[in-house]
Amino acid sequence: MIESSRIVRLSGFGGSQSADGYLYRPASVEATADVLALARREGRQVVMRGAGRSYGDASVAGEAVVLDLSRMDAVRSFDATTGVIEVGPGATIETLWRHGLDDGWWPAVVSGTMFPTVAGALAMNIHGKNAFRVGTFGESTLSIDVLKADGSLVTLSRDDPGFTNIVSGAGLLGVVVGAKLQMKKIESGELDVHAVSCGDWDAQFAAFARYEATADYMVTWIDAFASGSSAGRGMFHAGFYRHPPVVDQATLRPSAQDLPDTIMGLVPKSVVWRFLKPLNNRVGMRFVNWAKQTAGAVLEDGKLVGQSLVAFSFLLDYVPGWQRAYAPGGLVQYQSFVPREAAPRVFARQFEMQRERGLENFLSVMKLHRPDPFMFSHGVDGFSLAQDFKVTDANREGLRLLAEAMSDLVLEAGGRFYLAKDSLLRPSDFAASLGQAGVDRYWAAKSAWDPDALFTSSLARRLHLDPRCVS
Amino acid sequence: MMAYKHAIVVGASSGIGAELAKQLLESGCRVALVARRRDKLEAIAATFPDAAVVAEHDVHDTAAVPALFQDLCKQLGGLDLVVYASGVMPPVGMHEYDTAKDLEMVAVNLNGAIAWLNEAAVRFEGVKAGTIVGIGSVAGDRGRSGQPVYNTTKAALATYLEALRNRLAKLGVTVVTIKPGPTQSEMTAHMPQAKMMPADEAARRILAKSRRTGEHYLSPAHAVIFFVIRHVPSWLFRRTKI
């Protein structure tokens, strides 16, 4: 019998989705296999959890055994000449950059926060601001060690057919218990960053077009409260690696990268979320977005500045615990991926829908992507727009209806979705985004890797990806 | 206020427990109905085949509770409310001292409650949420001459629940002691029914009061009357016929 006291309530990062499960935190592959055996004996399903950074319900499941892999965080080997690093599943993006930086190696793909685990990054096949250039996390992964539902261990290289299914598979096929990654050679711990103030949607897409051939990273922030001729305004940034003869050895140290723990040397960042909380409403966020745009246009526009890789990459880590400003209802992020030609129309219309319903998002970020071969791929030859919405009891139903309307637009345009962010898709939305071939591919993989549906999540149950929950 | 989604009702075959189970099911809650008499449980469950889980269980079997509790949570898909409504109150003569009869009341009214609500406490402490409801009685407020051990079991239950409340309230767990007055049920069938509260009305009031941690009577009149009764000095109380 499972120990009753292992029960815990766990949430996704956004704090709007939670479930009660029995938490196990094994420290070895053998102990992980024992947890799977226990779950099978007890007739319980297993949900995998890394750092719990997926926004929605991907790392929780009611009444399941929660397999938390974060204790298996070792760097197993590192070759400073090739940049190949082998890590346990609980190693984080932070583990990677801190380990490689002194020798001039940086993770090829990083998310907007350094805290996700490698296993989580592989399960969701995360992307970064360089997605248009280097693709997703799986594309810089050389091999993975996978514990199957029956407890057997296999190693998959990039050429194995299962590789592109396990990577991106949302933890529904097998447990990643180790990974070998190729890091990116860098000569400096700083990027040259160009800032462009964009007055509207056209200017945003023009900035991406202008820098696409040369930039290593591109990202833009958009003010969702701006309307009329200002709709789509925001601040675009393009980042460029520094190349020889520039060698900034002094920047290739973790101490040169660490973010300050105070703002302007005065206010501890740990309390900043408390100051954000009173502003975290439509009126306050309209002001914050306006202020950010105005400050960017005046102080940053057209400038080229040096910025550390950590500061440029991990914007979400600037304010620790910022998501707590969304309590008690939490936040949901809605991120859709739309082919190039349709993206301007679809994203502009999504903003209009929000204004019509009084449900503007509080933070919007747009990036450029490229297609990839992974099973639950969100990669398209086009753009993604990530949007944070505050959840309250009063707007919960409205958000659901808004998401449905926005998803209809995305699907009409041949777009896709990203399970690390999702809380709001209907089963039919996700199936339609995959297409019949994609759906068939998933079920074939599920039958082959996890025929008894040991692995699940609230997300899988919601999107009818768990055969035990499909009527 | 959020509706309950997953509940276990122990003692759901009749009386207040059955009415609570029915009203929870009618509200859309998934409910595990626990009692000895499977036929009675299935009669209730028949109206709600997708939402009701039937579990035949004798509360004397405290050793079976941990596994059954865990299994019911799995079948329900979660848990946010546990009600312990099992209870017996056999007729007792004014000069009767029947140990077997008395210990039967201790087993059902108290030992079973401890076995089930300890499991609930472990779970709700872990998830830092949930509601525990124990059906006590106004009879537990004083040691009365007519029902010494029934009074004792209900007083002990109230004390146990108070202790749980003191442990768990700070974690966000609601622990509620309900003190119904005389209520129409099988347990009170041997008593005059005319002035008793119907069980369905008692259940409605219990669910309404279950949101607020603490001890609750089911009517303002009871709250006043039993406030007075609790404070009557012992030397005077023994001279009354209460």
Side-chain angles (χ1 to χ4, degrees):
Chain A
M1 189 179 143
I2 290 175
E3 298 159 67
S4 300
S5 59
R6 287 189 176 272
I7 194 83
V8 290
R9 177 162 296 177
L10 295 169
S11 299
F13 177 71
S16 63
Q17 313 285 323
S18 62
D20 302 341
Y22 296 88
L23 180 64
Y24 285 79
R25 302 181 67 238
S28 68
V29 175
E30 295 73 24
T32 306
D34 289 344
V35 174
L36 298 187
L38 172 68
R40 286 196 304 273
R41 274 200 310 276
E42 293 293 323
R44 299 263 174 187
Q45 290 182 288
V46 174
V47 59
M48 278 172 253
R49 186 173 174 94
R53 303 299 286 205
S54 284
Y55 278 62
D57 48 4
S59 65
V60 300
E63 298 307 306
V65 167
V66 182
L67 182 54
D68 180 335
L69 298 166
S70 60
R71 282 177 75 198
M72 297 162 65
D73 58 355
V75 174
R76 294 172 181 167
S77 72
F78 175 63
D79 186 331
T81 58
T82 62
V84 174
I85 188 168
E86 287 186 75
V87 295
T92 63
I93 304 290
E94 180 179 18
T95 309
L96 298 178
W97 77 256
R98 284 193 185 278
H99 203 86
L101 188 67
D102 291 82
D103 294 316
W105 297 98
W106 180 258
V109 171
V110 300
S111 44
T113 166
M114 66 175 85
F115 301 124
T117 61
V118 166
L122 287 163
M124 291 304 174
N125 201 19
I126 64 168
H127 64 263
K129 301 172 185 68
N130 55 357
F132 67 99
R133 178 76 62 224
V134 303
T136 48
F137 199 82
E139 291 177 78
S140 62
T141 302
L142 303 175
S143 67
I144 52 176
D145 302 323
V146 181
L147 201 56
K148 298 178 73 173
D150 63 9
S152 59
L153 185 65
V154 295
T155 297
L156 299 178
S157 70
R158 299 163 64 94
D159 300 329
D160 286 304
F163 181 87
T164 53
N165 294 338
I166 300 287
V167 176
S168 84
L172 299 177
L173 301 180
V175 188
V176 174
V177 290
K180 185 187 289 186
L181 310 169
Q182 176 62 60
M183 298 179 80
K184 159 79 180 168
K185 186 66 182 163
I186 55 172
E187 309 296 339
S188 168
E190 290 194 345
L191 297 171
D192 290 321
V193 180
H194 292 221
V196 180
S197 174
C198 301
D200 57 21
W201 284 109
D202 288 344
Q204 295 276 14
F205 288 102
F208 277 96
R210 176 180 163 197
Y211 286 97
E212 182 178 350
T214 55
D216 294 301
Y217 297 89
M218 291 195 291
V219 64
T220 195
W221 161 84
I222 307 172
D223 175 2
F225 289 90
S227 58
S229 61
S230 298
R233 73 182 179 191
M235 287 302 301
F236 170 92
H237 292 90
F240 298 81
Y241 290 120
R242 290 178 178 166
H243 297 289
V246 174
V247 178
D248 295 335
Q249 191 62 43
T251 64
L252 294 175
R253 297 186 193 116
S255 58
Q257 296 282 328
D258 283 331
L259 298 170
D261 55 10
T262 58
I263 292 181
M264 293 186 287
L266 296 172
V267 182
K269 282 187 176 174
S270 58
V271 301
V272 169
W273 70 269
R274 296 180 186 277
F275 295 98
L276 289 177
K277 198 166 172 59
L279 292 169
N280 206 18
N281 51 63
R282 285 184 74 205
V283 174
M285 280 296 152
R286 181 183 292 274
F287 168 75
V288 168
N289 275 259
W290 170 83
K292 180 174 169 59
Q293 171 64 19
T294 303
V298 172
L299 301 174
E300 281 192 85
D301 185 29
K303 293 197 174 154
L304 173 64
V305 297
Q307 191 172 18
S308 75
L309 276 157
V310 164
F312 181 82
S313 302
F314 305 124
L315 294 173
L316 294 175
D317 299 337
Y318 263 81
V319 179
W322 59 270
Q323 75 278 11
R324 297 166 74 181
Y326 284 88
L331 78 150
V332 294
Q333 187 175 100
Y334 181 89
Q335 186 169 18
S336 52
F337 298 71
V338 178
R340 284 175 189 265
E341 300 70 28
R345 171 180 58 80
V346 170
F347 293 157
R349 182 62 193 136
Q350 286 184 349
F351 274 26
E352 287 169 7
M353 288 175 162
Q354 292 164 34
R355 280 195 294 279
E356 289 163 6
R357 300 166 190 233
L359 289 171
E360 295 92 343
N361 75 77
F362 290 178
L363 177 66
S364 307
V365 173
M366 187 163 71
K367 296 190 285 281
L368 184 61
H369 298 263
R370 72 180 193 186
D372 60 53
F374 295 95
M375 181 177 70
F376 286 159
S377 171
H378 54 271
V380 294
D381 181 14
F383 294 86
S384 73
L385 182 62
Q387 307 171 76
D388 290 357
F389 294 91
K390 183 178 182 178
V391 180
T392 65
D393 286 342
N395 78 1
R396 201 179 302 269
E397 179 62 9
L399 279 178
R400 188 183 66 78
L401 296 172
L402 171 66
E404 290 180 4
M406 292 197 297
S407 296
D408 288 342
L409 282 177
V410 173
L411 291 170
E412 285 166 17
R416 286 177 172 266
F417 304 101
Y418 183 22
L419 295 183
K421 305 295 182 65
D422 179 49
S423 302
L424 295 166
L425 289 180
R426 296 162 289 190
S428 58
D429 294 332
F430 189 61
S433 74
L434 292 179
Q436 192 56 50
V439 172
D440 292 345
R441 177 180 172 183
Y442 168 68
W443 286 113
K446 187 71 173 171
S447 298
W449 283 86
D450 182 25
D452 299 324
L454 182 67
F455 303 119
T456 191
S457 64
S458 292
L459 176 144
R461 293 170 179 173
R462 174 169 56 84
L463 294 181
H464 296 183
L465 299 172
D466 179 347
R468 296 195 195 185
C469 298
V470 177
S471 55
Chain B
M1 190 166 285
M2 297 283 282
Y4 294 117
K5 293 180 179 171
H6 311 99
I8 294 174
V9 179
V10 184
S13 57
S14 66
I16 289 174
E19 286 300 328
L20 283 168
K22 284 180 203 166
Q23 290 177 25
L24 285 164
L25 286 163
E26 284 164 359
S27 73
C29 181
R30 286 177 58 77
V31 181
L33 301 99
V34 182
R36 276 178 306 153
R37 294 174 293 180
R38 174 174 284 276
D39 56 332
K40 298 255 185 189
L41 302 179
E42 287 178 342
I44 298 170
T47 314
F48 308 94
D50 297 329
V53 174
V54 168
E56 184 179 329
H57 167 75
D58 185 337
V59 295
H60 293 84
D61 189 5
T62 53
V65 174
L68 178 57
F69 184 92
Q70 209 174 81
D71 183 58
L72 292 177
C73 292
K74 188 171 93 172
Q75 290 190 59
L76 292 171
L79 188 70
D80 43 27
L81 171 67
V82 176
V83 180
Y84 190 84
S86 291
V88 290
M89 187 181 66
V92 174
M94 285 301 289
H95 305 284
E96 182 181 5
Y97 301 94
D98 182 332
T99 302
K101 188 187 282 188
D102 288 346
L103 291 183
E104 170 67 4
M105 282 188 274
V106 173
V108 175
N109 300 358
L110 184 61
N111 294 354
I114 292 170
W116 278 92
L117 301 186
N118 274 353
E119 290 303 311
V122 169
R123 183 179 175 104
F124 291 158
E125 182 174 319
V127 303
K128 296 180 173 54
T131 299
I132 292 171
V133 174
I135 306 300
S137 171
V138 296
D141 280 0
R142 293 303 296 248
R144 300 197 226 172
S145 55
Q147 278 284 3
V149 176
Y150 184 76
N151 297 165
T152 301
T153 60
K154 292 300 183 181
L157 178 64
T159 303
Y160 165 72
L161 289 168
E162 183 185 18
L164 285 191
R165 188 155 48 242
N166 293 339
R167 281 190 175 191
L168 300 174
K170 56 183 172 287
L171 299 175
V173 180
T174 303
V175 182
V176 177
T177 309
I178 299 291
K179 294 184 171 180
T183 305
Q184 293 173 7
S185 68
E186 287 182 15
M187 192 173 77
T188 59
H190 60 284
M191 299 160 67
Q193 302 280 300
K195 292 185 179 176
M196 291 188 183
M197 183 180 289
D200 59 342
E201 178 60 22
R204 255 188 298 280
R205 295 188 188 196
I206 289 168
L207 287 177
K209 290 177 182 293
S210 69
R211 302 296 185 172
R212 198 157 50 85
T213 206
E215 289 190 351
H216 304 292
Y217 296 93
L218 292 186
S219 75
H222 277 169
V224 173
I225 292 166
F226 284 93
F227 175 84
V228 173
I229 288 177
R230 281 202 314 275
H231 291 84
V232 173
S234 195
W235 61 266
L236 179 60
F237 190 75
R238 76 176 72 107
R239 287 171 170 76
T240 69
K241 293 185 179 178
I242 298 172

